[in-house]
């Protein structure tokens, strides 16, 4: 997979096929240097969120990179706790202020519920927030809009009550957690699935079984895991702060055999819920 490979959103916008995830990368020098390093390594897609607290550092690194803004795809997210139209308008404005870019490429509702109320029903509120997302899209401040951590039911509520359909659903997706139901539902509805934590935040790296499989391809477990997400038709968002890993994670131009993909699909992480 090269940085020249893209996914296409329902509105025709193209998205570089691997994104650099910045969840848990502390703001300041670490976030700034990691994003600079990712851009140097060839990533042209950077994923942040207001809740990560690093939008300002990410935006600064993008501005300082010397790379034409139009070549970089930038995602951020509206905090999950924001559940009214007016607060969503203010929240989107906060992102633009912190990130310091004229526009972003994708804005997502971070989750269907506040993080301290996981699983609670915020259907009515999400429909209201989505109206602010539509308005934000129409203002031209973002080139696309979507959702994150949304289940089938949460997604349907938006699909049934929107003028502009979500173009992306970003969910946790990795070997052992293929998220079959929601990924198929998104595909049927023309929604691109992005997968965060493609290495299960590092847990997959401990698997001897995956290490043996990766070795056959002369690749690392990280590369095998990222490639798996791509071959599931989803867009992986690996995260790292180490230049060597950052470079490695975008070098996934190989093919896992159909048999091995099927086998990887059978592995279970016993995590049935979409956001886990
Ligand atoms: P670090 O951030 O210290 O560089 P995920 O993308 O699933 O959230 O996983 C991120 C975790 O995996 C981080 O702890 C990151 O380490 C680690 N990691 C990322 N890429 C690699 C790699 N190529 N080899 C080993 N560890 C990696």
């Amino acid at each position: 997979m090269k940085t020249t490979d893209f996914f296409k959103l329902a509105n025709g916008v193209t998205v570089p096929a691997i994104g650099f995830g910045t969840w848990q990368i502390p703001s300041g020098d670490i976030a700034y240097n990691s994003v600079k390093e990712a851009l140097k390594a060839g990533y042209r897609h950077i994923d942040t969120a207001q809740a990560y607290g690093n939008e300002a550092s990410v935006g600064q690194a993008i501005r300082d990179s010397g790379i034409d803004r139009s070549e970089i795809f930038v995602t951020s997210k509206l905090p999950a706790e924001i559940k009214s139209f007016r607060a969503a308008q203010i929240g989107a404005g906060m992102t633009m202020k912190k990130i310091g870019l004229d526009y972003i490429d994708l804005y997502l509702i971070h989750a269907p519920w506040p993080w301290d109320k996981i699983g609670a029903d915020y259907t009515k509120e999400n429909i209201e927030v989505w109206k602010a997302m539509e308005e934000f899209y129409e203002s031209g401040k973002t080139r696309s809009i979507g959702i994150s951590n949304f289940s089938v039911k949460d997604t349907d509520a938006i699909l049934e009550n929107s003028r502009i359909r979500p173009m992306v659903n970003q969910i946790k997706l990795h070997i052992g957690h293929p998220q079959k139901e929601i990924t198929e539902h998104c595909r049927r509805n023309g929604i691109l699935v992005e997968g965060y934590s493609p290495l299960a935040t590092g847990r997959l790296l401990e698997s001897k079984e995956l290490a043996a499989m990766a070795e056959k391809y002369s690749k690392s477990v990280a590369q095998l895991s990222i490639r798996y997400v791509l071959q599931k038709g989803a867009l992986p968002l690996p995260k790292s702060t180490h230049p060597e890993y950052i470079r490695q994670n975008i070098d996934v131009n190989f093919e896992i055999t159909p048999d091995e993909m099927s086998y990887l699909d059978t592995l279970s992480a016993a995590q049935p819920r979409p956001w886990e």
Side-chain angles (χ1 to χ4, degrees):
M1 177 66 49
K2 294 277 174 261
T3 47
T4 45
D5 290 327
F6 293 91
F7 286 99
K8 197 178 236 184
L9 302 182
N11 65 347
V13 165
T14 52
V15 192
I18 297 177
F20 182 66
T22 65
W23 179 39
Q24 292 176 332
I25 301 189
S27 91
D29 286 351
I30 302 182
Y32 180 83
N33 291 332
S34 301
V35 172
K36 279 291 261 313
E37 201 58 54
L39 292 169
K40 205 168 95 195
Y43 292 74
R44 289 294 179 268
H45 175 174
I46 311 291
D47 182 277
T48 180
Q50 209 173 110
Y52 303 169
N54 59 19
E55 280 174 315
S57 311
V58 168
Q60 185 74 45
I62 290 167
R63 290 199 304 279
D64 292 353
S65 69
I67 299 165
D68 200 281
R69 172 69 189 88
S70 65
E71 284 180 32
I72 308 175
F73 190 94
V74 185
T75 301
S76 193
K77 310 183 191 84
L78 183 75
E81 293 69 28
I82 291 184
K83 292 296 175 211
S84 76
F85 180 81
R86 183 67 192 130
Q89 283 180 315
I90 295 168
M94 290 279 285
T95 283
M96 296 315 294
K97 202 168 158 218
K98 284 189 187 148
I99 211 160
L101 301 170
D102 291 339
Y103 68 90
I104 56 172
D105 296 276
L106 173 63
Y107 205 48
L108 305 174
I109 301 180
H110 206 143
W113 14 248
W115 292 111
D116 61 354
K117 296 197 176 59
I118 287 178
D121 186 1
Y122 279 82
T123 303
K124 195 171 115 299
E125 290 82 357
N126 286 326
I127 292 168
E128 193 182 318
V129 169
W130 188 253
K131 292 193 195 319
M133 297 291 281
E134 291 175 327
E135 184 188 88
F136 188 49
Y137 175 65
E138 285 170 331
S139 77
K141 291 281 175 206
T142 184
R143 294 172 70 226
S144 55
I145 46 175
I147 50 187
S148 181
N149 297 297
F150 272 48
S151 67
V152 169
K153 181 173 159 284
D154 298 323
T155 304
D156 280 345
I158 302 295
L159 286 173
E160 286 157 16
N161 293 282
S162 55
R163 286 185 298 110
I164 301 163
R165 293 158 70 89
M167 294 145 202
V168 166
N169 188 9
Q170 184 179 124
I171 55 175
K172 186 163 187 174
L173 183 63
H174 55 76
I175 293 170
H177 193 42
Q179 299 261 37
K180 202 166 182 293
E181 195 194 358
I182 183 66
T183 54
E184 283 175 4
H185 192 66
C186 287
R187 192 156 301 131
R188 276 196 299 276
N189 284 287
I191 300 171
L192 174 69
V193 171
E194 295 184 345
Y196 68 82
S197 300
L199 318 181
T201 62
R203 277 183 292 125
L204 294 180
L205 303 167
E206 292 155 22
S207 163
K208 290 203 173 60
E209 195 181 3
L210 294 183
M213 190 185 283
E215 208 183 312
K216 285 201 275 178
Y217 298 95
S218 303
K219 294 287 173 189
S220 68
V221 173
Q223 289 167 315
L224 181 80
S225 306
I226 293 162
R227 184 70 210 179
Y228 171 82
V229 173
L230 279 170
Q231 288 186 220
K232 295 305 288 179
L235 188 156
L237 296 162
K239 170 254 165 184
S240 174
T241 53
H242 293 89
E244 181 200 328
Y245 296 163
I246 291 172
R247 283 194 294 274
Q248 196 189 97
N249 294 348
I250 201 171
D251 175 22
V252 290
N253 195 17
F254 68 106
E255 198 73 25
I256 304 171
T257 65
D259 279 357
E260 287 187 321
M261 281 300 290
S262 303
Y263 175 70
L264 292 173
D265 282 342
T266 66
L267 301 180
S268 167
Q271 287 183 329
R273 295 186 296 174
W275 54 89
E276 288 184 324

